[in-house]
Amino acid sequence: MLKKLICSLVVAGCCHNLVGAKESDVIGDLANTLDNRWQLGQDKISWQVKDSHEDHLEFSGEKMSAIIYYGSDTAGKLSLKRKLVWPMLRTIPNDTHASLIHDFPIEISPKWTINGDVSVAENLVNVEFDGVLTLTSTLGQSIVLERTLSPSTNLPVLVERLKFTNNGTKSIDLELSKLDYSLKTKKSNGVYGVYHIQALSEESGSFTLKPNQSVIVNAKYMATKQGQEYDVVVDKEIKKRQRYIESLTSDLQLVTPDPIVNQMFNFSKIRAAESIYRTKGGLMHGPGGGRYYAAIWANDQAEYINPYFPYLGNANGNESAINSYEHFARFMNPEYTAIPSSIIAEGIDIWNGAGDRGDCAMIAYGASRFALANGDEKDAKSLIPLIDWCIEFSYRQMSKEGVIASESDELEGRFPSGQYNLSTNMLTYGALVSSVHLNNELGRKDIAKSYAQRAIKLRSSIENYFGANVQGFETYRYFEGNEKLRAWIALPLTMGIFDRKQGTLDALLSDKLWSADGIYSEAGNDTFWDRATLYAFRGIFAAGETDTAMRYFKYYSRKRLLGEHVPYAVEAWPEGNQRHLSAESALYGRVVTEGIFGIEATGFKQFSVAPFLPSTWNEMCLNNIRAFKDNFDVCVSRKGDAFEVAIKPENKPVMRLPWQGKAAISVNL
């Protein structure tokens, strides 16, 4: 009986027969309309500078984050600003945005003269990114300056290596002076008193560079509390960063015929995993963007990124996920008043400025999926009280129509959401579905059955309340009275509900919602948030419309990786100027794991998989998946009109499963 209840939920990967991919020869046509500014290399991208252009990217370590603004100005000269953030050096007032931040423009660099000339222009000729950023410029006709910038993995330092090389035929005289920049903040402005901001270099003096000779100057940009000292070896820090990048590259490896998608996925793992800070409240994943650090949110952390960490197998990521749920669990209460949206300032304060955003739905959805993929019974048992409490909280907000109220949603009032919005209800539904599997694993059969029944009823209520014709499309209204299409109409597809699939697909990809930068938040408004676009891609893949999904996903990937603002998924525009918030990169990763490969955790050692191949691909693999306390590969290859799915656990025989490309396959490791 229970199995029938679960299957009747029509969850992607359970008992629903998904629509197979259509044959198409235009999967790449949309992506091919783009012009690349950047070129794809082996595990890197590069820009050969031929015009004026500026960009910025963020990279992080456990104790700092750096937003690097770089480019070539109208005269061809290098423009460079290093915006450094120290999340654990708290400022006053100690609110969400109270990280110490300091800008180091290009002028705060080691100084030099060449053959006595102090006015030699630094003209940018090449930029390379492979996890560290390398800016190559020419100084006159024969001298090349290569700046390599990298955050320390565990110190509050950005390091910069400057390598001067004589590429000419004559010797040159290079005079280097030390960089010695120092600033102390006011004691009254810091939670921990005075902070010492410094920029230092080690090498100085006079050098004669013969042809093909080089000299290296090491610089470091840092901030500390009074009395703190760090032994910083620049070359060592760069190598530590490179080893860290290699470790992320080796796990959860995507192998497809599309090198752009492969590399975008590879970079997305870096941005997703690096933004974890070692706070006094434990490891905390933070969105970043110069605004959001040493704090957690019910959407960015609990919902978006935490369920992804087990697949990546990143130890800090899994620890930060559990830590975030433990922080939220502190706020459970017998009165069932809302959990705060965000826990800030290293865990000692909260932000709840938008009221209940459906935060419990976000937490229950993310925590239940994390618990299954994490594959640890003890951890799961510790999370169950929070999941149960959040589901109960949500049900206490239920209307007589059977839908769940929230004061706002994850956009916090930027767009109207009504009293009952589609997002809160779909996340609650998703939480129920995953909790059915989780409670069955833990032997709580009656609760699993109850949640399955609740999910069936909620699904029906969602259809009755939100199902509507909006702007000519048979899809969903976002709230009662909503007359404009909204990006989050993709959520039912993401959660495996395909009743209004065609109308929803048509709406999402119509000129009312689809734009050159992804899906508009609302029809008629040019605001876009990548999170909604990435959820939509997951939903379209889940619906079995693989060629359609891949056509738009390839376009998006190429634009974000090789276009004008690279190399990650972004937060939004116009707000924030497309900041490289970290959790959006995790949502990109989940398009691959849950969308393209259709992996859905159904137990501590069990999952369903529906890896639909685009019609122009013959095979694809996702290797070294670290979920379920295991290490395994999932590969799918075309076998005539059908497929073979190969599951390759570490040190175990390969499971070769014939697949007709319809119902998902259940796998037990």
Side-chain angles (χ1 to χ4, degrees), residues 191-349:
V191 170
Y192 304 113
V194 174
Y195 302 137
H196 192 191
I197 300 169
Q198 295 176 279
L200 307 169
S201 65
E202 299 165 1
E203 294 77 14
S204 64
S206 300
F207 303 86
T208 298
L209 290 185
K210 295 178 180 179
N212 300 317
Q213 280 191 334
S214 300
V215 66
I216 290 175
V217 179
N218 293 305
K220 49 196 176 187
Y221 301 82
M222 59 195 297
T224 57
K225 299 175 186 176
Q226 275 194 312
Q228 284 183 327
E229 291 185 7
Y230 294 98
D231 181 21
V232 181
V233 180
V234 170
D235 192 56
K236 179 181 177 182
E237 294 303 322
I238 293 174
K239 288 178 180 177
K240 281 165 57 180
R241 170 74 177 180
Q242 290 169 335
R243 286 195 297 270
Y244 174 67
I245 299 303
E246 289 169 4
S247 72
L248 293 174
T249 302
S250 65
D251 289 325
L252 200 63
Q253 297 174 331
L254 178 64
V255 182
T256 78
D258 191 315
I260 292 175
V261 171
N262 294 345
Q263 187 58 53
M264 181 67 181
F265 178 75
N266 201 31
F267 278 168
S268 76
K269 294 186 295 180
I270 298 172
R271 186 71 197 121
E274 70 181 353
S275 189
I276 299 173
Y277 305 98
R278 196 168 289 280
T279 78
K280 69 181 182 182
L283 289 177
M284 284 186 166
H285 183 275
R291 300 274 291 169
Y292 310 109
Y293 302 89
I296 54 171
W297 279 259
N299 51 335
D300 290 72
Q301 282 68 52
E303 177 194 343
Y304 301 164
I305 198 165
N306 287 356
Y308 180 63
F309 277 131
Y311 294 90
L312 186 54
N314 178 262
N316 278 4
N318 286 330
E319 182 180 336
S320 74
I322 293 170
N323 187 50
S324 71
Y325 293 129
E326 289 176 346
H327 275 295
F328 283 118
R330 291 163 35 206
F331 294 89
M332 294 188 296
N333 59 84
E335 297 78 24
Y336 284 91
T337 57
I339 280 179
S341 302
S342 177
I343 298 167
I344 66 171
E346 299 185 89
I348 67 170
D349 204 352

Side-chain angles (χ1 to χ4, degrees), residues 4-265:
K4 290 181 180 179
L5 283 171
I6 296 171
C7 288
S8 67
L9 300 180
V10 199
V11 181
C14 184
C15 300
H16 189 78
N17 289 336
L18 302 179
V19 179
K22 297 177 181 178
E23 289 294 318
S24 172
D25 58 0
V26 294
I27 292 177
D29 68 339
L30 193 60
N32 289 335
T33 64
L34 295 168
D35 293 323
N36 297 341
R37 175 171 292 278
W38 292 72
Q39 291 78 47
L40 183 64
Q42 182 65 42
D43 298 324
K44 67 181 181 181
I45 58 172
S46 60
W47 165 37
Q48 296 177 10
V49 180
K50 298 177 181 177
D51 61 351
S52 176
H53 173 68
E54 295 189 344
D55 200 3
H56 63 272
L57 63 79
E58 183 166 9
F59 45 21
S60 311
E62 291 182 4
K63 292 185 178 178
M64 61 82 64
S65 192
I67 304 172
I68 309 299
Y69 298 83
Y70 64 91
S72 178
D73 69 13
T74 54
K77 293 173 63 177
L78 170 67
S79 63
L80 175 63
K81 183 180 76 173
R82 319 159 188 90
K83 179 183 284 292
L84 304 193
V85 184
W86 293 276
M88 281 65 73
L89 299 183
R90 309 300 297 167
T91 58
I92 294 173
N94 193 7
D95 58 16
T96 300
H97 312 298
S99 301
L100 179 66
I101 301 177
H102 192 74
D103 290 348
F104 297 89
I106 192 170
E107 290 76 18
I108 304 179
S109 296
K111 298 293 190 293
W112 61 82
T113 65
I114 297 174
N115 293 332
D117 188 353
V118 298
S119 62
V120 177
E122 186 175 352
N123 294 310
L124 186 66
V125 295
N126 192 69
V127 182
E128 209 169 83
F129 183 76
D130 59 1
V132 301
L133 180 66
T134 302
L135 309 170
T136 302
S137 301
T138 58
L139 308 177
Q141 296 298 313
S142 61
I143 308 302
V144 172
L145 171 55
E146 187 177 274
R147 295 177 182 257
T148 300
L149 296 90
S150 172
S152 168
T153 57
N154 60 352
L155 300 178
V157 182
L158 174 79
V159 297
E160 184 173 334
R161 182 176 63 205
L162 292 82
K163 182 179 180 181
F164 297 82
T165 302
N166 182 1
N167 282 349
T169 58
K170 298 179 180 179
S171 296
I172 62 104
D173 293 324
L174 177 67
E175 186 79 25
L176 295 170
S177 59
K178 275 192 175 182
L179 172 63
D180 189 7
Y181 174 88
S182 179
L183 173 68
K184 291 188 177 180
T185 63
K186 292 181 180 180
K187 183 177 181 180
S188 58
N189 290 345
V191 170
Y192 304 113
V194 174
Y195 302 137
H196 192 191
I197 300 169
Q198 295 176 279
L200 307 169
S201 65
E202 299 165 1
E203 294 77 14
S204 64
S206 300
F207 303 86
T208 298
L209 290 185
K210 295 178 180 179
N212 300 317
Q213 280 191 334
S214 300
V215 66
I216 290 175
V217 179
N218 293 305
K220 49 196 176 187
Y221 301 82
M222 59 195 297
T224 57
K225 299 175 186 176
Q226 275 194 312
Q228 284 183 327
E229 291 185 7
Y230 294 98
D231 181 21
V232 181
V233 180
V234 170
D235 192 56
K236 179 181 177 182
E237 294 303 322
I238 293 174
K239 288 178 180 177
K240 281 165 57 180
R241 170 74 177 180
Q242 290 169 335
R243 286 195 297 270
Y244 174 67
I245 299 303
E246 289 169 4
S247 72
L248 293 174
T249 302
S250 65
D251 289 325
L252 200 63
Q253 297 174 331
L254 178 64
V255 182
T256 78
D258 191 315
I260 292 175
V261 171
N262 294 345
Q263 187 58 53
M264 181 67 181
F265 178 75

Side-chain angles (χ1 to χ4, degrees), residues 395 398-404 420 422 425-426 429 453-467 476-477 497 499:
Y395 268 75
M398 184 168 277
S399 72
K400 65 177 186 283
E401 294 92 352
V403 291
I404 295 162
Y420 307 94
L422 182 64
N425 283 270
M426 286 312 315
Y429 174 81
Q453 292 169 335
R454 283 186 175 189
I456 293 166
K457 291 179 181 178
L458 181 58
R459 175 180 172 168
S460 177
S461 298
I462 288 169
E463 168 60 28
N464 293 334
Y465 187 86
F466 295 104
Y476 300 91
R477 62 180 184 178
I497 295 177
D499 301 341

